[in-house]
Each structure stands twice: as structure tokens, then as C-alpha cells.
Amino acid sequence: MPPHRRPRRGRPLRSRLPPEVRRVNTLLDRPVPAAAAALTLRRGAARVLLDNWTGSSTVPSRTLYPHQWSWDSAFIAIGLRHLSARRAQQELESLLAAQWADGRVPHIVFNDAVPADAYFPSPDFWRSSRAGGAAGAPANRETSGIVQPPVHALAAWLVHCADPAESRRRGFLARVHPRLVAWHDYLLTRRDLGGDGLVSVVHPWEPGMDNSPAWDRALGRVEPTAPDTFRRADLDHGQPADRPTDLDYGRYVRLATDYRDAGYDDRAADHRFAVEDPAFNALLVVSELALAETARELGLPGAPHTERADRLTRRLVDRLWDDTTGVFRVRDLHDRSLVDERSITGLVPLIIPGLPPEIVQRLSRALHGPHFTSPATRLIPSYDLTGHAFAPHRYWRGPAWFNTAWLIERGLRTHGLHGDAARLRQGFLADAGRTGFAEYLDPLSGEARGARHFSWTAALTLDLLCADDADPKEPRP
């Protein structure tokens, strides 16, 4: 046999594997600043993200949520940065590629390869490329027409911080910065429906906490679409006891239909549901601070974003803080009154660095009080345990979620409450591993509910495994 045809003796088995398999193994084996006992948890979380990867983005769940979701992708990118900064960048860039010309980032980007009946409302319902043409919907991608919380600028900055050299080499921040600025501009102009400087949401799906009792009063004004006129695909994969009722789902469909028929025009639509949500606005504050850091990294002035964050913080406190109960509340723009419900959205503003110290203290007390102290998990229930509408299994009406726990853990660290942050972090990691990275938990029993192998649970597990109370890579206000 000629020398050039001889097999290479001793060639490592790994080098014979297909490239994609080699990349997967490399991601799983990459060193990480975590104790040896956490290695199994880390590998399990990484496996969820790799299994849910579609080639350009990550689905929340292969069964229940087979497309790309907006704030899910932001959370996923935050975790992916610990495996591959390049893939985390791609997660965000694929989402922003479907941004509308008016600046909105749609809450779903549909995968053409997924059957139309796999999820409802489907692309045929939203008709974004036709109904949203005047608002600048992309002609070559089908999306929804509503939005989700603006976590994206925070995610982009954290992804950059994970590997600044790779980010600069690829021009990542330079590409996403103008899109993120346009996204925030859309929210602060087209969505200031109350005229007082806060962003309004026009559908219960927009705050991401779809079925919260905080929306019930406003939803009561909406005439539901008859349930026999649409088919709920979510019930094919989720327990009916966990999901919104047919009555509520009919109201969701009615609101989305009316918005679509108005061409997704925020000024022309008759918004029968319009509320100012504390968590949504708090995440915009934090993302404005991240945009300030991004601008400085690019040699641009960061002060305009810092000033906007300061104004938003003042307005959030002035308009949505309830000093009687010690939590933030939703404001219903129909009569401009605060909604008399305690929910997780009223605690998420703890993530804002510039929150007045006395409010930080009150929120900390609320976290330890009877309304939000779960007997079976350190995660925080999504709704008041003593509330009239509390339901431990039903979507956002009581269950404890991992993404809101991550936000609050970050808020605790931001304000120097490191002991509380560490306890929440430890509980998060224990529950994530114990439940197979469940979507959410029953706060009374600790039972896993919703989808398993859920992407943001896995991603945020990776992030908390690497969390440090004094991480120098974190953005500073």
C-alpha cells in the first residue's frame, strides 16, 4: 500500500465523528466554574438546549411550543453564552431578523417546516405578511403581531460579555444595536397608550404571564370568540387543568383577531385590553441600561439610554407602586386604576438597580411574607398564595416559574441581598435538576408541571451554575 494510503494509526476516535457530534461533545465537555457535583446538572441542561436547537434558533419545547418565542430566546441566549458565545449570538440574531419595520419584535417567529396545525394561533391566523404590511411586517417571514417583554438588550450585552473578543470579531453588537434601539423606540412611542411615559401591553400574551389573575378585570370587558370556531393545539400536549380555560382562550383569540383586523396599528386599534405592567416596564429599564453599555462599547453616547432608564424608573414608582401592600401593581388604562391583585409581576421590578432603597426593603419583605413563600419550593409563586384566584396548577395563576425566579435572584444580587440570592439560586438549581428542567412547579407540592426539558429552565440553570455575587463581567449601572 502506498504511504499516502496507509491509515493513520492511533487516530483519536473523536476525530472520526461527524462535525456536528464533535461540536456537541465539545460544548458538553467545556470547562466551567462549577463544583464537580454540578457537572451532571450542567450536562443535562446543555443537552436540553442542544436537543431543542433547530439549526438557527431554539424552541422552548419540541411538543408544546415548536416555534421561536421572543423572550424565551433572550433567556436561552443568556444560558447559551456559557456553552457557545457564537450560538448565543445566533439565537438573538435569528429573532431580530424577523423584526418589523416599525421596530416591534414579534412574540413568535414561525418555522415554515412545522405543520400549520402544530400550534394555534398559526401563521394562517396572524397573517402577518398581509395584515401587517402597513406596519412593516416582513414579507418573507410569518410571525405573530404582538410582542413580549424586552429582555433582548440585556441578553445581548451579557452574550457580548461572555466572549468580548469573539463578539468584536463578528461585529455582533454593531449589528444588533440599531435593531434594539428601534425596538425600544417602538415601545416608548407607539405603546405609550396612557401618555404617561410607561409602556402598555394590549394582549395578555404580551407580558409573558399569559393567564395571570392580574388581567382578569380587563379581560372581563372582552366578548370571547366561540370555542367551536378554533382548535386549541395546546391541549394536545398539556393537561387541561394546567392550561387557560376555553372562556379565557376565546378572549385571547378575540383580542388578537381585532388587532389583526386593525392592521396591527397601535393607534387605530380599539384596545379593549390595555394595561401598564410592572415587570414589562422594569425589564425595559434594565435593557435600557444594557443599551447604554452597548453604546459605550461601540463608541456611542450611553447617556441617553441611562436617562431614559431613570425616567422610566421614576414613572414606574409614581404610577404602579402600591405603598399599602408593598408591591407594584398593574394599572388598567380603561379607568386608570390599580388592579387589586398581588402577582409575581409586582416583584420583578426588584431587578432595577436604581430602585429607591425603601422600596427594595418592602419588596424583600413581600418575598418572605405569606403571600409569596411557597411551602414546597424556594421559587416564587406567580400569584398570591392567599388570593381568591390562586390555582397551584393553572398557567400563571399560582405555579412557580424558573424565569421569574432568575429575574428576582438577579435583583437580589443587584441590591446586595446576597444571602437571599444564594438561597433562591440553590433552590432553583435543585428543583431544575429534580424535575428534568420542567416549565414550572406546583408551589404547594413541588410537583413538576407543564412541559419537561424546557429550554429557558435549562438555559437559566447554566447561568446560575456560573453565577457569582461579584461577577466582573456583569454590566454595571
Side-chain angles (χ1 to χ4, degrees):
M1 181 183 292
H4 68 279
R5 298 291 300 276
R6 289 175 186 158
R8 295 180 182 177
R9 298 186 185 278
R11 183 185 180 193
L13 178 61
R14 172 168 292 190
S15 65
R16 303 175 198 169
L17 297 172
E20 181 59 28
V21 175
R22 292 202 303 271
R23 284 195 292 272
V24 165
N25 288 338
T26 299
L27 292 178
L28 290 172
D29 293 340
R30 180 172 294 178
V32 63
L39 184 58
T40 299
L41 182 61
R42 177 181 178 271
R43 289 177 67 89
R47 176 57 63 189
V48 170
L49 296 182
L50 295 168
D51 287 347
N52 288 345
W53 176 254
T54 68
S56 60
S57 63
T58 310
V59 296
S61 161
R62 284 287 180 183
T63 55
L64 193 55
Y65 307 104
H67 301 284
Q68 184 178 23
W69 261 257
S70 172
W71 77 326
D72 291 72
S73 275
F75 288 126
I76 289 164
I78 288 168
L80 276 175
R81 69 188 174 123
H82 300 293
L83 299 177
S84 166
R86 179 75 174 268
R87 184 167 285 192
Q89 292 171 22
Q90 189 175 358
E91 183 76 38
L92 293 172
E93 289 176 310
S94 65
L95 175 71
L96 293 173
Q99 185 174 23
W100 292 27
D102 65 3
R104 85 182 73 192
V105 175
H107 98 295
I108 302 175
V109 180
F110 290 104
N111 183 346
D112 294 340
V114 174
D117 62 354
Y119 183 81
F120 178 83
S122 64
D124 290 342
F125 173 88
W126 294 102
R127 305 172 201 163
S128 64
S129 59
R130 288 171 287 158
N140 61 344
R141 294 298 304 271
E142 291 301 326
T143 74
S144 66
I146 60 175
V147 302
Q148 276 189 324
V151 199
H152 313 88
L154 173 63
W157 177 246
L158 292 176
V159 167
H160 166 80
C161 291
D163 192 342
E166 170 72 359
S167 176
R168 291 170 188 138
R169 186 187 68 78
R170 296 191 67 242
F172 169 64
L173 288 183
R175 286 198 306 277
V176 301
H177 176 260
R179 291 184 175 274
L180 294 169
V181 170
W183 167 220
H184 289 196
D185 286 346
Y186 164 79
L187 292 173
L188 290 166
T189 55
R190 302 294 186 95
R191 286 301 192 88
D192 182 10
L193 301 180
D196 295 300
L198 291 179
V199 176
S200 305
V201 294
V202 300
H203 195 288
W205 290 337
E206 291 198 319
M209 305 175 188
D210 308 11
N211 197 35
S212 171
W215 324 134
D216 286 356
R217 193 176 79 181
L219 274 177
R221 297 190 294 269
V222 178
E223 181 67 27
T225 297
D228 59 357
T229 61
F230 59 89
R231 180 183 174 276
R232 293 181 58 178
D234 63 315
L235 297 181
D236 293 341
H237 305 289
Q239 296 293 327
D242 289 358
R243 305 296 299 170
T245 65
D246 283 345
L247 176 63
D248 284 333
Y249 219 91
R251 288 168 170 151
Y252 304 156
V253 172
R254 172 67 66 194
L255 287 170
T257 301
D258 291 349
Y259 194 35
R260 178 198 67 200
D261 293 347
Y264 300 110
D265 185 331
D266 294 300
R267 292 167 182 155
D270 178 19
H271 297 297
R272 283 179 283 179
F273 179 98
V275 303
E276 293 170 345
D277 174 52
F280 195 106
N281 282 277
L283 292 173
L284 182 56
V285 170
V286 174
S287 279
E288 276 291 318
L289 293 173
L291 266 188
E293 297 289 348
T294 299
R296 295 185 189 107
E297 166 68 21
L298 296 172
L300 303 170
H305 297 294
T306 305
E307 292 164 2
R308 286 216 294 202
D310 290 343
R311 286 196 300 272
L312 275 165
T313 301
R314 290 194 299 271
R315 288 165 182 166
L316 182 68
V317 171
D318 290 344
R319 289 186 57 75
L320 304 186
W321 175 249
D322 180 10
D323 198 53
T324 302
T325 58
V327 297
F328 287 88
R329 290 195 186 274
V330 170
R331 184 176 294 276
D332 186 345
L333 292 180
H334 178 72
D335 59 8
R336 297 185 173 268
S337 65
L338 295 179
V339 175
D340 188 20
E341 300 286 4
R342 288 182 176 91
S343 75
I344 192 74
T345 189
L347 302 176
V348 170
L350 189 64
I351 198 173
I352 298 173
L355 211 58
E358 60 275 16
I359 290 182
V360 172
Q361 293 172 6
R362 296 289 303 281
L363 290 174
S364 176
R365 287 205 294 272
L367 283 169
H368 293 94
H371 304 287
F372 293 103
T373 302
S374 302
T377 175
R378 291 180 185 172
L379 304 186
I380 303 99
S382 52
Y383 177 70
D384 180 358
L385 290 166
T386 70
H388 69 99
F390 174 75
H393 290 180
R394 199 174 292 278
Y395 216 57
W396 291 106
R397 301 182 80 83
W401 289 72
F402 288 91
N403 68 322
T404 50
W406 181 88
L407 292 170
I408 289 171
E409 190 274 346
R410 187 175 181 85
L412 291 168
R413 277 192 288 134
T414 295
H415 294 287
L417 301 171
H418 299 301
D420 288 343
R423 284 187 289 275
L424 180 53
R425 184 161 65 244
Q426 291 159 7
F428 181 115
L429 295 175
D431 284 340
R434 174 181 62 80
T435 63
F437 306 100
E439 187 177 3
Y440 53 84
L441 307 179
D442 178 332
L444 302 184
S445 69
E447 177 188 8
R449 307 297 299 186
R452 305 300 189 275
H453 309 295
F454 200 70
S455 288
W456 78 26
T457 303
L460 298 176
T461 295
L462 288 174
D463 192 61
L464 290 186
L465 280 170
C466 299
D468 188 317
D469 286 337
D471 187 346
K473 292 183 179 180
E474 295 290 295
R476 297 303 180 202

